[in-house]
Amino acid sequence: GEGDHPERLFSNTMDCSVSKWEFTPCSKTCGPEKGKIIATRRILGEPSGIAAVSCPVLSAALECNRKRKSCPQECRVSQWAEWSVCDSECDAGMRTRTRRVTQMPKRGGEECPQLKESAPCPGRLGEEKLKMDAAEKSENLDLERRLAKCTRDCVLTEWTQWDTCGLTCGGGWQKRMRNVASPATAGGHCPKEGGNEIQNPRLEWRQCNQ
C-alpha cells in the first residue's frame, strides 16, 4: 500500500550515535610486561527504523609499553641505628643517629631521605642527682664521676653602678649589686641575693653624703 513506500520506510530511520573514545592510562608504564589501554565510548542515541545502522563496538583494548622500558628505582635505606652517646656529660646535650643507603635511586626514582638526625639528650644530669639517695650515690661511681666533672659554681656579672644615696645630707647609704650571669650546675655553689650584710659577694654597701 501507500504506507509501504520506500521513502516513508526510510524517513523515520535513525542510526545509532556514539560518543568520542575515552582512554584509560596504560596499566603498565614500565617493567618487563606489556600493558593495556582500555578505550570506551557510550551510546548517545539508539538506532530506530528498519534500515538503521546498529551501534558499533563500545570498548576495545590496546597494547602499550611495547618497548618495556625499565622502571625507576626508588632509594631504600636501613633502619635507624642506635642513638650516639650524648655529646655533653653536663646538663642538656645533643645526640645523633644515622642510617645507610641500601639501594641507590636510578632512572628518576625517589631520592634518598635524610640519613642523619640530631635530638636533645633526654633528661638532665642535675635531675639524676636529685633522684639518687645516699645508698645509690655510693654505689654508682660513674654517675658520681660525671657529677663531679659537671659541678660548676655560678658566674656573677660585674658590679652595677652605685645606686642613689639614701640621704642627700647628713650621711646615708648606697649599694651596688652583682647578678647571676650563668647559674650553678649539678649542685654548684651560688651566693644568695640580697641581705643587709656589709660583706656579701653579690651586695656591697657604702656610706655617702657625709
Side-chain angles (χ1 to χ4, degrees), residues 8-203:
R8 288 186 176 275
L9 292 174
F10 284 95
S11 63
N12 295 324
T13 296
M14 183 175 291
D15 294 338
C16 176
S17 60
V18 295
S19 65
K20 292 182 179 180
W21 287 107
E22 294 180 357
F23 302 94
T24 65
C26 184
S27 61
K28 292 185 182 294
T29 56
C30 62
E33 299 176 1
K34 293 179 181 179
K36 285 185 179 181
I37 294 175
I38 304 299
T40 58
R41 55 185 174 179
R42 53 193 173 82
I43 296 174
L44 299 177
E46 295 284 353
S48 63
I50 61 172
V53 175
S54 59
C55 292
V57 172
L58 299 177
S59 66
L62 309 172
E63 278 191 355
C64 55
N65 189 37
R66 293 181 180 179
K67 293 184 178 180
R68 303 179 189 182
K69 64 179 181 180
S70 298
C71 292
Q73 180 174 291
E74 312 295 335
C75 177
R76 292 182 182 175
V77 295
S78 65
Q79 295 293 319
W80 286 108
E82 294 296 320
W83 286 104
S84 68
V85 176
C86 190
D87 64 3
S88 172
E89 290 190 88
C90 304
D91 295 323
M94 297 296 290
R95 59 181 185 168
T96 58
R97 64 178 182 174
T98 57
R99 56 185 174 182
R100 57 187 177 80
V101 175
T102 58
Q103 177 178 282
M104 292 296 293
K106 293 180 181 178
R107 299 179 292 276
E110 186 176 344
E111 292 298 315
C112 294
Q114 184 177 350
L115 299 177
K116 181 178 180 180
E117 68 176 6
S118 300
C121 298
R124 287 174 175 265
L125 195 56
E127 293 174 4
E128 292 181 52
K129 183 179 180 181
L130 293 175
K131 294 175 184 175
M132 290 172 59
D133 60 26
E136 289 175 325
K137 194 176 292 186
S138 62
E139 294 173 3
N140 197 333
L141 298 178
D142 178 61
L143 185 53
E144 274 294 281
R145 178 187 61 78
R146 291 169 60 199
L147 285 170
K149 181 177 179 180
C150 298
T151 299
R152 295 192 184 95
D153 294 340
C154 70
V155 177
L156 301 178
T157 62
E158 295 296 322
W159 288 104
T160 62
Q161 296 294 319
W162 289 102
D163 66 2
T164 305
C165 190
L167 295 173
T168 56
C169 61
W173 290 89
Q174 60 184 166
K175 71 178 187 296
R176 63 179 183 173
M177 302 176 63
R178 298 176 73 186
N179 297 312
V180 176
S182 178
T185 60
H189 173 70
C190 194
K192 293 182 179 179
E193 180 184 4
N196 294 318
E197 314 91 68
I198 299 298
Q199 297 295 326
N200 186 309
R202 294 182 58 184
L203 180 64

